Amino acid sequence: MELYRLTAHEARDLLRKGEITAVELTEAVLRRIEAVEPQVRAYITVSPDTALAQAAAADQRLSAARRSGEVDTLPPLLGIPIAVKDVISTRGLRTTCGSRMLERYIPPYDATVVRRLRAQGAVIVGKTNTDEFAMGWSTENSAFGPSRNPWDITRVPGGSSGGSAAALAADEALIALGSDTGGSVRQPAAFCNLVGLRPTYGRVSRYGLVAFASSLDQIGPMAKDVLDCALLYEVIAGHDPHDSTSIAQPVEPVLPALNGDIRGVRIGVPREYFGEGIHAGVAEVVRRAIAQLESLGAHVEEITLPLTRHSIPVYYLIATAEASANLARYDGVRYGHSATATTIWEHFTRTRGEGFGPEVKRRIILGTYALSAGYYEAYYLRAQKVRTLIRREFEQAFERVDIIAGPVAPVLPWPIGWVMENPVQAYLTDLLTVSQAIAGIPALSVPAGFHEGLPVGLQLVGRPLDEVTLFRVAYALEQVTEWHRQRPTQ
Amino acid sequence: MGQREYEVIIGMEVHAQLLTRSKMFCGCSADYVDAPPNTHVCPVCMALPGALPVINRAAVEATIRVGLALNCEIAPFSVFARKNYFYPDLPKGYQISQYELPLTYNGWVEIEGNDGQPKRVRIRRAHLEEDTGKLVHVNGYSLVDLNRAGVPLLEIVSEADMRSAEEAHRYLLKLRTILRYLGVSTADMEKGAMRCEANLSVRPRGQQTLGTKVEIKNLNSFKAVRDAITYEVKRQIAILEQGGTVEQVTLGWDEHAGRTFVQRTKEEAHDYRYFPEPDLLPLEISREWVESLRATLPELPDAKIQRFMQTYGLSRKEADIIAVEREVAEWYETAVAAYPHPREVYHWLTGEIFRYLNEANIPITAMKVTPDALAELLRLVEDGTINRNTAKSVLQEMLATGQRPRTIVDAKGLAQVSDEAALRAVVDEIIAAHPDEVRRYREGKKGLFGWFMGQVMRATRGKANPATVKKLLSERLEGDG
C-alpha cells in the first residue's frame, strides 16, 4: 500500500511499531503532491524542507520512545503529515488567505492550533487553497485560481476550505485543518467524501485564524475518517487565554464514544432541510443514510425549523458587517500589498482596490452599508435579534432530540466557473450550513454515499459542546457503510 | 446698538492614558515614552492578521475607580465596540472603544463656579478604549510608530454644564487632580497623557434653544483650553452680533496664531459605524468587585479640603493649594504631625519650599527635605536657637544638600546670639560709628530703626536674636547716650 493512502491513525500505529518512519511517510506525501498537484491544485504553498525537518525530529522522538518503551504515551499526531488552510497563521510560512493582498505575507507567529500541532510533532506539509479570506463556496474566489475536486476534476472541491478537502481526497495529506464560517469545513468535506467538523463556537481557539467574521469563524478538523477527525479535534480543542471567546470548560474525550452503539439516540430530521432547492439525488442519499442510523437503533422523527429560511439574510448581514471591519487592517501600511501613491487616501484606496478580489469587495461594501448610520437598526441590529431567535429554535429542538440530521449542501459539486457566472445563486447554497454557525452549535459532515459518482455528505448537528454525540453517530454510520473507504480513481 | 449679553455653553471630552503595566489588549509594555519607535509592539497591537485582543483587567479596574471617584454609576454589564475609520496610526482600521453600555456613567464633579460658589459638572460617561499610534513627519515622509497603539485610554465625557473658559479650566484641573489622587494616570497634558476636546455653543442670554455647537479638538495644554475657548466665544459672538449664523464644524486650535481653524465641516463628519466588538465578551461587573475597588479609593480632594479646613484651620483657598497634589497634602500632614502648628507649616511649605520646587522644577517627592526635617527646623526657631532669617538660609541649605537643620546650624555656627552683653557691645559699636544717622533718628527719622537693625544683623552675620537687638537699640537710640 502506498503510504500516502494511510489514515492518520493507521500511520500512527505503523510509526509507533517502527514499521515506517515519519520521513518516509512525509516523502511519500511530498511525492504524491508533486504527482497530482498539476491536476488538483490543492496547495498554495508546499514546504518540503520544513516538513522533512519536522518529520526527522518526529522520528527522533519516536525512536527514543521505542527504546524506553514509551511509545503509547506519544502524542497521536506525532510525525503525521497535515495540510493547513491558508487562513491559519504559520510562523515563517507564508499565509496568503488566497488573496493578492497577502501574497508575500509571512507571519511572525503561530496560530494557537498550529502551536498545538507543533507541540504534537505533526508535520506541516503546506498551506491549502481557499476562497479569498474564506469568502466563497468553491475556491473559485481564490486569487491563486480554483482547486479541483479529485472525484471529478472539472468540478469544484467546495469551499472555502476546498484546498484542504482536495488535498485529503487526492491523498496529498493525511489530515487537514479548515475553517468554517458558514459551512466552509462541512460543505467541502461533503463534496470530497470526507469527515469535517465545525466545532461549537469557542471550542477551538481562533487566535491566529485570519478573521472573516469573528462571531462565526471556527477552525475545524478535516479527515478521511471519523477517528482521524476526532484525533485532530482533541488536539486543537480547548481553552486559549489569547482568545477571549474561547470556552474554558474542559474538552470531553471523544474516543471512548466511538463504539458503534447509537441505540436510543434521538435524531430530528427538519422538514425544511428537504424542501425547495434541495437536489433530489442529494436528498435521497441523505435519507438513506438516516434510515441506516434508524436501523442501528436510533429514534428518528421529523421536526421543523421554520427560521431556517431567514438564516441566509441573517448570516450575510452579520458576516459582512464583521468582515467590513476585520478587513480594514489591510491598508498597506504595515504588511501586505502596498500601492504607490502620493497621498494617504490614494494609498488606501489603491492598495485595497488592487489587493482585494471582487467577492471580498462585494462583501466589504455590503457590510459597510449594513453598519451605516440610519441602516444599522434595520439591518445589523435586526439580524442580531433574529440570530437570537434562531439560537432559541435550536434550543427548543434539542429539548426533543439529541441531534439533528440532514444534507450538508443542497447541491452536488458544481462545474468550475459556475460561481463566477452565478454569484447570487451561490449564496443560496449556504442554506443548510449557516444556521448552525449563527447558533454557534457543532455540526459534522460525514460521507453518506454517492449520486452519479459524486459524493454526498450527511450533516449531523448537536447541542453546544456535544461534539461527542456527533462523532459517536458518525462513527456508527461509518462502520456499517464504509463510504469513506471509496477513493477517487487516479 | 449695544452688544447683547451672551451665554456660553461648554462640554468637555477628556482622554487620559492609564498607568497600567501592559497595554489595553495585549502584553506589550505601556511604558513607551522613551522607547525607540516600534519596539513595544506585538501581533495584537500591530493588528497582524489573526491576532485577537484580551482585556486588561487592571485598566478596567482603574476605570471603575475613576467612575467611583466621579460619583458615577458602574455598569453591571458593559460592552466594547468597534469604532471604524481609516488612518495610518490606527492599525486595525478600527479602534476598540465603548459606545452603548459604557463602564461608568451618570456622575458629577464639583468645581468653583463663575459666582465663586461650588457647582456640579455632570459626567455623562467615563469609558475605556485604546490609544492610537503616532505619526512622525520627516523630510516629506510620514513615519508610523505603534508603541503608543493600544495603550489604555480613559475617555471622560461631561455634560455641557460649564459656562466660561475659566470653569472649563477648573473642571480640567479637578479631573487632573482626581486622576492623580487615584494614581491611575500622570494626567500630564504637555506629554500627551491627558488630551482634551471642548464643544461649545453661544446664545443670547435668556434664549431657550441652544446655539450651534462647534467642537475644538487637540487642546494640548491648560493654556490652550482657556485661550481656544475664549477666542472661539469672541468669534461666535461677533458673528451673531453681525446677524450671521455659526456653522457646525470641527475646529483645530493654532497655538502660535492664537486662533481656531476649520478641520472638518458637517458634511465631512465621519460615520464610525459602531458595532459591538465580537472578539470580546461583554464584561460582567459584580457588586462585590465594585465594592472591593471602592475600598481602595484614597481620600479624594474635596473631602481632604474639607478636613484640612476643619482640622487645621486653613481657608478653602489655602486647603486647595495644599490638596491639589496628593503628595503635597501627605507631606503637609506628616509635617504637621511632627510639628503641630498647621499655619506655620503651611507658611513654610507654600513659601520657601514651593518657590524652590518651582525653580528646580521637581515634584515634592523628589525633594530632599523630609517633613520631619522641616519640623526640626521650626522647633529650632521656636526655641530661639536660630531666628527666622537664619532659618530661611538653613532651609535653602537643607533643600540643596538634604542635611538635617541641626547639622547645618552646628557646622556653620549659626546658633542665634541672645547674650545681651555680647550684643550690647555690637550695638554700641554701630551707634558710635554712625553719629549722623543717630542724629537724624533722634530728630525724628524713626524709619532708620530698621537700618540700624540691619547693621547689627550684618555685623553678627544674622545670628543676633532680633528681639534682643531691638530692645538694646531702643534703649540706646531713645536714651540720651
Side-chain angles (χ1 to χ4, degrees):
Chain A
M1 189 189 183
E2 300 290 353
L3 295 185
Y4 52 76
R5 291 214 185 271
L6 295 171
T7 62
H9 58 88
E10 287 164 353
R12 172 199 61 188
D13 296 343
L14 295 173
L15 285 166
R16 287 182 177 181
K17 283 186 209 149
E19 291 178 19
I20 60 169
T21 67
V23 168
E24 286 164 7
L25 179 61
T26 302
E27 280 174 343
V29 167
L30 289 170
R31 276 196 304 274
R32 174 70 175 171
I33 290 171
E34 224 169 282
V36 303
E37 263 306 89
Q39 290 83 50
V40 181
R41 299 177 192 173
Y43 286 92
I44 292 175
T45 307
V46 180
S47 186
D49 295 347
T50 54
L52 286 168
Q54 289 160 19
D59 280 333
Q60 283 189 353
R61 280 173 78 180
L62 278 159
S63 53
R66 264 197 307 275
R67 276 197 302 276
S68 59
E70 289 171 333
V71 281
D72 291 339
T73 62
L74 288 171
L77 301 184
L78 178 62
I80 304 297
I82 182 169
V84 176
K85 186 180 182 182
D86 212 16
V87 289
I88 298 171
S89 301
T90 42
R91 184 185 182 133
L93 187 55
R94 79 170 174 155
T95 301
T96 68
C97 300
S99 180
R100 289 275 162 246
M101 187 64 92
L102 295 178
E103 198 173 353
R104 285 180 292 278
Y105 168 67
I106 298 173
Y109 78 105
D110 275 330
T112 297
V113 290
V114 172
R115 207 160 39 77
R116 286 173 173 239
L117 287 174
R118 290 198 203 276
Q120 287 265 314
V123 174
I124 296 170
V125 177
K127 306 298 291 291
T128 52
N129 198 15
T130 168
D131 290 286
E132 188 175 3
F133 288 100
M135 296 179 184
W137 319 261
S138 62
T139 69
E140 287 167 282
N141 292 330
S142 168
F144 300 89
S147 299
R148 313 287 179 75
N149 191 323
W151 291 90
D152 175 351
I153 59 165
T154 68
R155 290 175 188 269
V156 298
S160 62
S161 308
S164 285
L168 289 178
D171 293 316
E172 298 180 76
L174 273 62
I175 45 172
L177 285 181
S179 71
D180 188 312
T181 305
S184 282
V185 160
R186 292 163 284 160
Q187 182 253 32
F191 278 14
C192 293
N193 199 43
L194 301 164
V195 182
L197 171 73
R198 174 193 167 84
T200 305
Y201 183 78
R203 184 72 290 183
V204 176
S205 169
R206 291 185 295 117
Y207 190 75
L209 167 66
V210 179
F212 158 20
S214 313
S215 74
L216 298 159
D217 295 341
Q218 267 293 284
I219 291 171
M222 301 173 79
K224 298 178 193 178
D225 69 11
V226 173
L227 178 52
D228 274 9
C229 192
L231 287 173
L232 181 51
Y233 166 75
E234 286 191 335
V235 169
I236 61 174
H239 182 246
D240 176 14
H242 293 294
D243 176 358
S244 306
T245 61
S246 142
I247 294 170
Q249 206 167 308
V251 179
E252 195 184 338
V254 178
L255 302 192
L258 305 186
N259 54 17
D261 183 2
I262 58 165
R263 282 171 298 172
V265 173
R266 296 170 300 170
I267 300 176
V269 180
R271 193 183 308 157
E272 293 78 7
Y273 285 22
F274 292 88
E276 202 191 334
I278 314 294
H279 187 285
V282 169
E284 193 198 320
V285 169
V286 171
R287 283 200 188 281
R288 239 187 348 250
I290 293 171
Q292 278 170 305
L293 294 175
E294 196 166 20
S295 72
L296 290 172
H299 295 295
V300 175
E301 61 175 291
E302 190 180 71
I303 61 168
T304 175
L305 297 171
L307 292 177
T308 302
R309 67 193 176 92
H310 295 302
S311 60
I312 287 198
V314 167
Y315 172 80
Y316 278 100
L317 284 167
I318 293 171
T320 58
E322 291 178 3
S324 73
N326 282 331
L327 272 66
R329 67 187 59 195
Y330 306 106
D331 58 7
V333 172
R334 285 144 294 128
Y335 50 78
H337 179 67
S338 187
T340 39
T342 48
T343 71
I344 188 64
W345 300 108
E346 189 193 348
H347 172 82
F348 286 157
T349 50
R350 288 191 51 190
T351 293
R352 293 168 66 79
E354 294 164 5
F356 290 138
E359 181 61 27
V360 170
K361 286 179 190 165
R362 195 151 39 226
R363 295 195 190 191
I364 290 173
I365 291 167
L366 193 60
T368 303
Y369 182 80
L371 290 175
S372 295
Y375 300 99
Y376 178 83
E377 287 78 9
Y379 294 122
Y380 184 79
L381 209 57
R382 182 172 299 184
Q384 288 291 9
K385 286 176 181 165
V386 179
R387 181 179 201 170
T388 305
L389 297 178
I390 289 173
R391 198 177 282 140
R392 275 198 207 132
E393 187 170 272
F394 275 115
E395 279 167 15
Q396 282 160 11
F398 284 122
E399 286 169 11
R400 290 181 53 194
V401 299
D402 299 313
I403 62 167
I404 292 166
V408 176
V411 294
L412 292 163
W414 56 78
I416 289 166
W418 179 78
V419 159
M420 293 301 156
E421 288 154 28
N422 302 277
V424 178
Q425 279 92 321
Y427 283 58
L428 301 177
T429 66
D430 283 339
L431 178 67
L432 304 176
T433 46
V434 291
S435 59
Q436 302 83 16
I438 290 167
I441 56 180
L444 181 140
S445 174
V446 60
F450 291 82
H451 181 79
E452 293 171 357
L454 293 170
V456 173
L458 168 70
Q459 179 169 219
L460 303 172
V461 181
R463 297 189 183 97
L465 294 178
D466 191 16
E467 281 80 2
V468 169
T469 302
L470 302 184
F471 279 118
R472 175 198 297 273
V473 173
Y475 186 79
L477 181 70
E478 195 179 77
Q479 295 308 299
V480 297
T481 59
E482 308 227 319
W483 297 117
H484 67 287
R485 293 208 191 275
Q486 305 228 4
R487 317 297 304 157
T489 47
Q490 275 263 335
Chain B
M1 215 171 76
Q3 187 175 297
R4 288 177 291 180
E5 254 199 83
Y6 287 89
E7 184 181 39
V8 54
I9 292 170
I10 305 168
M12 305 280 276
E13 237 175 67
V14 173
H15 288 93
Q17 286 180 337
L18 293 176
L19 277 172
T20 50
R21 252 194 317 226
S22 56
K23 290 187 181 181
M24 186 61 229
F25 297 114
C26 63
C28 290
S29 165
D31 182 14
Y32 65 91
V33 172
D34 297 316
N38 298 309
T39 53
H40 288 209
V41 293
C42 73
V44 176
C45 59
M46 280 188 75
L48 293 191
L52 295 173
V54 175
I55 297 170
N56 179 340
R57 186 183 172 93
V60 173
E61 294 193 332
T63 304
I64 293 173
R65 292 175 75 230
V66 171
L68 291 170
L70 300 179
N71 307 294
C72 287
E73 294 171 51
I74 310 300
F77 187 80
S78 182
V79 169
F80 284 93
R82 292 185 182 179
K83 177 180 180 179
N84 297 286
Y85 65 96
F86 285 100
Y87 208 66
D89 66 8
L90 186 70
K92 293 189 290 295
Y94 56 84
Q95 178 192 34
I96 304 180
S97 178
Q98 298 199 278
Y99 189 58
E100 287 170 342
L101 305 174
L103 266 170
T104 79
Y105 50 93
N106 283 352
W108 52 267
V109 289
E110 197 173 273
I111 61 164
E112 186 190 327
N114 288 334
D115 57 4
Q117 294 302 306
K119 102 173 231 183
R120 281 185 181 185
V121 175
R122 289 169 299 157
I123 304 292
R124 183 181 301 166
R125 56 192 281 155
H127 75 237
L128 197 46
E129 57 187 34
E130 56 177 337
D131 211 340
T132 61
K134 254 194 328 211
L135 295 186
V136 185
H137 304 282
V138 185
N139 300 330
Y141 288 92
S142 293
L143 306 177
V144 182
D145 176 6
L146 295 178
N147 283 346
R148 195 181 73 176
V151 168
L153 206 54
L154 174 69
E155 179 173 324
I156 303 169
V157 183
S158 84
E159 297 293 346
D161 284 350
M162 286 150 280
R163 294 290 176 272
S164 69
E166 289 67 33
E167 285 190 359
H169 187 258
R170 283 196 287 269
Y171 166 76
L172 264 190
L173 264 176
K174 191 56 169 277
L175 281 191
R176 185 175 76 173
T177 303
I178 291 172
L179 293 173
R180 287 180 173 174
Y181 259 63
L182 295 171
V184 298
S185 175
T186 64
D188 190 336
M189 286 193 87
E190 276 67 25
K191 288 189 179 144
M194 183 160 122
R195 306 189 279 267
C196 174
E197 294 164 29
N199 55 70
L200 68 91
S201 63
V202 166
R203 65 179 170 193
R205 196 169 288 284
Q207 180 181 303
Q208 289 301 302
T209 52
L210 289 169
T212 307
K213 188 169 80 176
V214 303
E215 202 176 317
I216 317 175
K217 285 201 174 287
N218 308 329
L219 298 172
N220 294 329
S221 68
F222 281 88
K223 185 174 179 303
V225 169
R226 200 157 32 187
D227 292 353
I229 293 175
T230 306
Y231 172 87
E232 190 54 24
V233 168
K234 274 193 197 142
R235 185 184 75 87
Q236 292 189 21
I237 290 175
I239 291 172
L240 296 176
E241 279 292 299
Q242 287 160 22
T245 51
V246 175
E247 259 189 281
Q248 188 186 327
V249 286
T250 301
L251 301 168
W253 171 244
D254 183 337
E255 189 122 41
H256 297 292
R259 60 166 178 254
T260 57
F261 61 94
V262 176
Q263 276 187 339
R264 264 203 309 264
T265 64
K266 190 182 172 189
E267 289 71 30
E268 295 165 322
H270 284 135
D271 176 1
Y272 290 119
R273 305 189 308 280
Y274 284 99
F275 73 103
E277 165 59 282
D279 285 333
L280 297 171
L281 299 179
L283 276 171
E284 285 179 45
I285 297 145
S286 68
R287 282 294 108 191
E288 296 73 50
W289 192 14
V290 173
E291 290 316 310
S292 74
L293 290 170
R294 195 192 300 278
T296 70
L297 293 184
E299 182 183 36
L300 290 166
D302 286 346
K304 205 178 277 288
I305 287 167
Q306 283 302 325
R307 187 166 61 80
F308 280 13
M309 289 164 65
Q310 280 159 17
T311 313
Y312 303 131
L314 300 178
S315 72
R316 171 172 286 278
K317 202 149 230 137
E318 288 167 342
D320 198 47
I321 288 169
I322 295 286
V324 80
E325 282 180 50
R326 184 177 169 181
E327 293 77 10
V328 171
E330 279 165 5
W331 199 100
Y332 173 75
E333 287 213 87
T334 314
V336 171
Y339 185 75
H341 301 274
R343 184 144 296 283
E344 188 70 359
V345 174
Y346 173 84
H347 174 80
W348 285 86
L349 174 59
T350 58
E352 297 299 311
I353 291 179
F354 273 17
R355 193 174 310 128
Y356 171 81
L357 294 177
N358 273 335
E359 281 164 10
N361 194 23
I362 54 168
I364 197 161
T365 46
M367 180 177 72
K368 290 182 178 145
V369 175
T370 62
D372 190 52
L374 179 72
E376 184 180 314
L377 178 72
L378 299 186
R379 277 194 299 273
L380 290 176
V381 176
E382 191 181 353
D383 69 16
T385 308
I386 55 174
N387 62 45
R388 296 185 75 87
N389 275 330
T390 305
K392 279 186 189 175
S393 52
V394 171
L395 181 55
Q396 288 307 320
E397 188 79 17
M398 290 162 66
L399 287 163
T401 65
Q403 283 182 294
R404 300 290 296 190
R406 187 81 244 181
T407 315
I408 297 167
V409 167
D410 288 349
K412 300 204 164 175
L414 296 175
Q416 184 162 260
V417 180
S418 305
D419 175 28
E420 280 201 22
L423 290 176
R424 183 170 290 127
V426 179
V427 166
D428 288 346
E429 218 172 281
I430 299 287
I431 285 185
H434 300 93
D436 283 358
E437 284 76 6
V438 173
R439 180 176 47 75
R440 280 163 55 206
Y441 179 86
R442 286 182 176 152
E443 284 168 9
K445 201 145 172 54
K446 300 293 182 200
L448 279 170
F449 191 84
W451 182 84
F452 281 107
M453 282 288 292
Q455 292 300 311
V456 176
M457 294 311 278
R458 185 186 298 169
T460 59
R461 289 187 298 132
K463 292 188 292 183
N465 183 330
T468 313
V469 175
K470 197 172 170 190
K471 176 174 149 256
L472 294 172
L473 269 175
S474 300
E475 282 171 16
R476 282 289 186 269
L477 291 169
E478 301 297 336
D480 53 23

